[in-house]
Amino acid sequence: MAWGWAAVALLALGLWGLWRRWGSPLALLRGPEAVGYLPEPGWSRAQSARRARRGRRLGHPMPPRFPNGWFCLLESRSLRPGEARSLAALGEQFAVFRDWDGKAHVVDAYCPHLGANLAVGGRVVGSCIECPFHGWQFHGEDGRCTRIPYAEKVPSFAKVKVWPSCEVGGMIVVWYHCDGISPTWQVPEHKEILSHEWVFRGITEHYVSAHIEEIPENAADVAHLAFVHGPSILSGTDLRFSNSQLWAFFKHHWQAEWQPEPEPDPHCSRLLVKHHVTVCGKHFSLLDLVINVRQVGPALVFIVFEHPFLGRGVIIQSVTPVEPLLQQVVHRMYYQRNIPALVPKFILWAESVQFERDVMIWNNKKYLSKPLLVKEDGPIQRHRRWYAQFYGKDGVRATSPRASLDW
C-alpha cells in the first residue's frame, strides 16, 4: 500500500507540472527517432532507430503506398497571410500559401517554366504566388499564370496544378486521389469548434515507421486494448516495463466495438469505447469515460470524450504519409471553454502515453497480408475490407527492398 501512496504522489507532481503551465496549450512534439525504438549499448538513440529500420522485414505484398482521401498538410495557425510553405507528402511536393485575404491555397510546388520551387524564396502577391526565379505569378484559385514580367503576352496554357483543399478543425487539408478523381465527400466540422464553445488546448506530434493502414487498424483490434493499454499510464511507454508491479494497483479497463457506417457515409466508421479505472481493485469512477471515435476517410479521426461532470471535447487525429512507410501523426485537443485547462491537457497527455505504446509496436512490426487470426479477431478482417475502398484501381503497391525503410 505504501507503493500505492508513492505512486499517487508522483501523479500529483505530474498534475502540478501541468497546472503550472496553465495558460498555454500542451505541446508534445516527438521527432521521427524519439519514440518506439529500443536503445542498444554503444549506440545513440538515432543510430539504434536507423539500425532497426534497416534490419526490419516489411512483409509482402504491402498495400498501395497512399490511399485516397483528405490529408492534413499543416496547422492553420502556422500559416499567416502572405506566407508560403514547401511541404513533401504523399509522394508529392506542395506549395501551400495564404493569400492576403486570408485564404489558403495548395498548388504544385514546381514552376512549369523552369522548375523552381514556388514556395522556396517565392512570395505571395495578392491572391497569387510569385516564382522566385523569373517572377511568374500563379493564381491560387485556378492555377493560371496572371503575369510574366518580361513577356508581352501570357500563354493561356501557362498554369500550375491546383490541389483541392480546405480548412477544417484548425487544419489545412488536401484531397489526394491516385486516379485524379475530384473529392467525393467532405470533412465534417464540429459546430462546437466553429462557435468557439470548444477551444484549443494542446497538440502532440509523432512519427510512425509503418504503412498508414496499420495505424487505424488498431480500432478494430479490440484484443490489444487490455494487453497494451490496460497497465497504468503511470508505468510509461516502454512495453518492457509497463507491467511493472509498482503500478499494478492501477488498471485501465476497456470495452470497445468497431463498425463501418452504412450509406450515405460508407467512407466513415465508428468505434464506441467505454473506459474505467480500478485502484487497488476498486472502481475509481472519476476517470470513467465514454469515447465516441469516428474515422472519416483513411486519415482523419475524431475522438469525442464525454464525462458526467468534466465535460466534453474532441481530439482530432490526422495521419499524413511523409513517405510510404513514414507517417506524421498529429493529435489536436479542443475542449469546453468553461472546463479548467488542466482537464483536457491531462487527457491529451494520457492519450499520448497510450499512443506511444502503440508506436513501439508499429515501428518494429512486419505487415502480414494474411495474418493468422482467431474468431475473436473478426473485426480486423472487416476493417481491412472497409479500408480497401480507399485504394484506387491505379494505386501503386508499396514495393520496397526486403529489409529497408530508406525510400
Side-chain angles (χ1 to χ4, degrees):
M1 196 62 186
W3 284 112
W5 285 111
V8 171
L10 286 173
L11 175 60
L13 285 173
L15 291 173
W16 173 247
L18 292 174
W19 180 272
R20 289 182 63 190
R21 293 192 290 272
W22 166 270
S24 59
L26 181 66
L28 297 174
L29 309 178
R30 312 295 198 200
E33 297 168 342
V35 174
Y37 295 105
L38 292 178
E40 300 176 87
W43 296 86
S44 69
R45 179 182 292 272
Q47 288 172 326
S48 295
R50 286 193 290 269
R51 276 166 55 90
R53 289 198 297 268
R54 285 195 297 267
R56 173 176 152 209
R57 290 182 180 270
L58 302 180
H60 182 79
M62 294 287 286
R65 291 175 296 183
F66 310 119
N68 302 316
W70 290 99
F71 297 86
C72 175
L73 288 181
L74 75 164
E75 306 299 303
S76 291
R77 64 182 179 279
S78 69
L79 192 70
R80 298 190 299 268
E83 278 192 323
R85 296 274 297 276
S86 178
L87 295 168
L90 297 154
E92 305 285 348
Q93 193 76 31
F94 301 102
V96 186
F97 70 97
R98 192 180 296 282
D99 64 30
W100 287 103
D101 290 329
K103 182 172 175 54
H105 305 278
V106 180
V107 301
D108 263 352
Y110 301 115
C111 178
H113 175 217
L114 282 174
N117 191 316
L118 297 170
V120 180
R123 67 190 184 103
V124 178
V125 180
S127 57
C128 299
I129 186 166
E130 182 182 82
C131 177
F133 202 1
H134 297 89
W136 291 35
Q137 294 179 3
F138 298 92
H139 198 266
E141 290 289 345
D142 56 18
R144 62 186 176 82
C145 183
T146 60
R147 181 174 183 267
I148 301 174
Y150 54 88
E152 293 183 2
K153 182 180 179 182
V154 177
S156 60
F157 53 82
K159 61 175 57 179
V160 68
K161 179 178 178 178
V162 175
W163 292 80
S165 63
C166 65
E167 292 191 71
V168 59
M171 307 174 289
I172 298 174
V173 298
V174 66
W175 172 265
Y176 170 89
H177 198 289
C178 66
D179 300 324
I181 296 174
S182 298
T184 55
W185 44 271
Q186 298 300 322
V187 181
E189 295 192 80
H190 280 82
K191 64 181 187 301
E192 295 91 345
I193 296 177
L194 291 174
S195 67
H196 304 290
E197 178 186 341
W198 291 356
V199 295
F200 178 71
R201 291 303 191 191
I203 185 171
T204 68
E205 178 185 74
H206 297 84
Y207 288 84
V208 179
S209 293
H211 189 275
I212 184 174
E213 184 177 337
E214 300 207 72
I215 296 174
E217 189 172 281
N218 255 24
D221 184 7
V222 176
H224 94 286
L225 290 173
F227 199 76
V228 175
H229 303 297
S232 166
I233 54 172
L234 304 175
S235 61
T237 63
D238 192 326
L239 297 178
R240 296 173 299 170
F241 312 118
S242 59
N243 276 300
S244 167
Q245 288 302 307
L246 175 63
W247 306 106
F249 71 96
F250 190 111
K251 292 284 187 182
H252 299 273
H253 302 269
W254 310 87
Q255 289 179 290
E257 182 181 357
W258 177 85
Q259 292 288 344
E261 290 190 24
E263 293 287 353
D265 298 313
H267 59 279
C268 299
S269 66
R270 294 272 186 177
L271 175 68
L272 176 63
V273 181
K274 295 181 180 180
H275 166 269
H276 74 272
V277 162
T278 55
V279 179
C280 299
K282 296 184 178 181
H283 183 194
F284 187 60
S285 60
L286 180 63
L287 295 181
D288 285 1
L289 281 174
V290 175
I291 307 167
N292 285 282
V293 183
R294 190 185 195 208
Q295 173 145 4
V296 181
L300 297 173
V301 181
F302 299 86
I303 307 168
V304 177
F305 294 85
E306 297 183 33
H307 192 277
F309 61 91
L310 294 180
R312 300 175 68 243
V314 64
I315 291 178
I316 302 175
Q317 180 196 73
S318 65
V319 185
T320 304
V322 180
E323 299 171 5
L325 295 180
L326 182 63
Q327 317 300 324
Q328 180 198 40
V329 185
V330 178
H331 295 89
R332 304 156 190 85
M333 168 65 86
Y334 292 86
Y335 215 81
Q336 280 184 230
R337 180 186 296 274
N338 60 346
I339 298 295
L342 179 66
V343 172
K345 288 163 72 172
F346 174 76
I347 293 174
L348 183 60
W349 169 79
E351 193 278 339
S352 73
V353 171
Q354 298 286 18
F355 185 79
E356 290 181 14
R357 292 180 183 177
D358 288 320
V359 174
M360 193 170 184
I361 301 290
W362 289 322
N363 280 4
N364 297 280
K365 78 186 292 291
K366 172 185 174 180
Y367 175 80
L368 296 177
S369 60
K370 296 181 179 180
L372 177 60
L373 302 175
V374 296
K375 181 181 70 174
E376 290 76 9
D377 293 322
I380 295 176
Q381 284 289 35
R382 288 195 289 121
H383 188 279
R384 290 191 176 193
R385 289 194 294 269
W386 172 79
Y387 201 89
Q389 69 180 297
F390 303 119
Y391 299 126
K393 61 182 180 180
D394 296 331
V396 180
R397 288 198 167 269
T399 56
S400 63
R402 179 180 62 83
S404 174
L405 280 176
D406 298 328
W407 291 81

